[in-house]
Amino acid sequence: MELYKKLAVLRCFTHSDMVRVTGSESAAQWQIKNYLKKGYIERVRRDLYVVVSMETEQPVPSRFQIASRIAGDACVSHHSAFEFYGYANQVFYDVYFATEKKVRPFDYDGLHYQPVVWRGAAGVVEMDNGVRVTSLERTVVDSIADFTRICGLEELLRCLALIPSLDEKRLLEALEVHGRGQLYQKAGYILEAYKAELSLSETFFSECMVNSSVSKTYLFSKQDNFVFHEKWLLYAPGELKKLVDKGVNDYDAV
């Protein structure tokens, strides 16, 4: 079982990994077929396999490790990154990952792996356990940019409430990657509600204002109870924290 032990160290592997471990193309093909038949490994998707534990009969790698091996540049992102860091209010059955390659969504082991827009490798961190994940600051910025398509406003706010602090420089670097004035407006408005908890200074919000769009915009599609926040030229809820404190669910659908 020496080969199984080597694969268990990898947790996830590709055909080329098996060639490297076995030493030849023919041996790799035979072992993959043999191990699939015996149940030692499972196919996740085309050219991606996971090792199955002989004790639990469950996949050895975590959802985050699998997502990180979907492509050479793949990384865990958005709400799944919050889950990885332990700052998610809910655990989703969707696993969000980003890659420059065109990858279709797929299901494996009761989870739905969903690709999101690729915005480059800046702010991607590689962990000792093989997980590639967006930094906490980039996760926050990406999630503010995409909350209407991924987790909803209330879940985003609940995640922010769990974070002990953020690095202002990294936040600004992540905002610069997007390069959108409206995102500076939205980020400034949302993060200002948690500036004390996240240890954000007025300097950070000044930078957001300098880079903000000069046009009025909406946090998301127009709502009857929106108010105009002149500082950010933004139509949005009056007080964000009250949405979470009162347990309002109306915004989760956006």
Side-chain angles (χ1 to χ4, degrees):
M1 299 297 293
E2 193 63 32
L3 175 60
Y4 176 86
K5 292 179 181 178
K6 291 180 179 180
L7 295 177
V9 172
L10 295 176
R11 299 185 181 91
C12 304
F13 65 93
T14 62
H15 179 82
S16 60
D17 291 327
M18 183 65 96
V19 171
R20 176 174 54 81
V21 173
T22 60
S24 72
E25 180 75 27
S26 59
Q29 291 180 352
W30 186 87
Q31 288 290 8
I32 288 176
K33 183 177 180 180
N34 181 43
Y35 272 23
L36 283 170
K37 184 178 180 179
K38 290 182 176 180
Y40 294 166
I41 63 175
E42 289 181 346
R43 181 181 284 109
V44 176
R45 61 182 299 275
R46 184 173 178 271
D47 197 29
L48 181 61
Y49 305 88
V50 297
V51 177
V52 176
S53 169
M54 292 185 178
E55 295 180 358
T56 65
E57 298 184 348
Q58 297 297 314
V60 171
S62 68
R63 64 179 71 188
F64 310 114
Q65 291 167 330
I66 292 173
S68 301
R69 291 301 308 273
I70 291 171
D73 61 355
C75 65
V76 179
S77 68
H78 291 78
H79 192 272
S80 297
F82 280 135
E83 291 179 44
F84 174 78
Y85 289 118
Y87 298 135
N89 179 60
Q90 301 178 47
V91 177
F92 286 9
Y93 287 102
D94 291 301
V95 181
Y96 296 101
F97 67 94
T99 173
E100 191 171 17
K101 295 184 178 180
K102 291 184 178 180
V103 178
R104 293 180 179 178
F106 65 91
D107 297 324
Y108 172 70
D109 197 34
L111 299 171
H112 181 69
Y113 289 78
Q114 177 66 47
V116 295
V117 63
W118 171 253
R119 295 189 174 104
V124 175
V125 183
E126 185 156 0
M127 303 297 180
D128 293 338
N129 61 1
V131 173
R132 282 192 300 274
V133 59
T134 52
S135 69
L136 186 55
E137 288 76 15
R138 178 172 163 181
T139 300
V140 168
V141 171
D142 286 349
S143 297
I144 291 173
D146 301 326
F147 75 84
T148 58
R149 296 190 293 273
I150 293 185
C151 64
L153 179 58
E154 185 180 346
E155 176 64 12
L156 170 60
L157 298 180
R158 290 189 184 279
C159 290
L160 290 176
L162 295 173
I163 299 172
S165 65
L166 290 171
D167 184 291
E168 295 182 5
K169 181 179 178 181
R170 291 176 182 174
L171 280 173
L172 292 171
E173 288 172 349
L175 284 164
E176 188 176 356
V177 168
H178 286 258
R180 291 168 42 213
Q182 289 186 349
L183 184 56
Y184 281 96
Q185 288 170 274
K186 295 177 181 181
Y189 163 73
I190 290 175
L191 295 178
E192 191 172 43
Y194 295 89
K195 63 181 180 181
E197 295 90 334
L198 298 174
S199 301
L200 298 176
S201 71
E202 287 302 324
T203 300
F204 168 75
F205 295 104
S206 296
E207 285 296 317
C208 286
M209 292 190 69
V210 167
N211 291 282
S212 290
S213 169
V214 296
S215 301
K216 298 177 182 179
T217 190
Y218 290 87
L219 183 61
F220 52 89
S221 58
K222 184 178 179 180
Q223 303 289 317
D224 291 337
N225 60 346
F226 272 7
V227 299
F228 181 61
H229 298 267
E230 186 173 358
K231 178 178 180 178
W232 300 108
L233 299 179
L234 188 70
Y235 291 95
E239 294 186 52
L240 282 178
K241 285 185 176 181
K242 285 188 176 181
L243 299 180
V244 177
D245 293 341
K246 293 180 180 179
V248 176
N249 296 314
D250 295 345
Y251 294 99
D252 277 345
V254 303

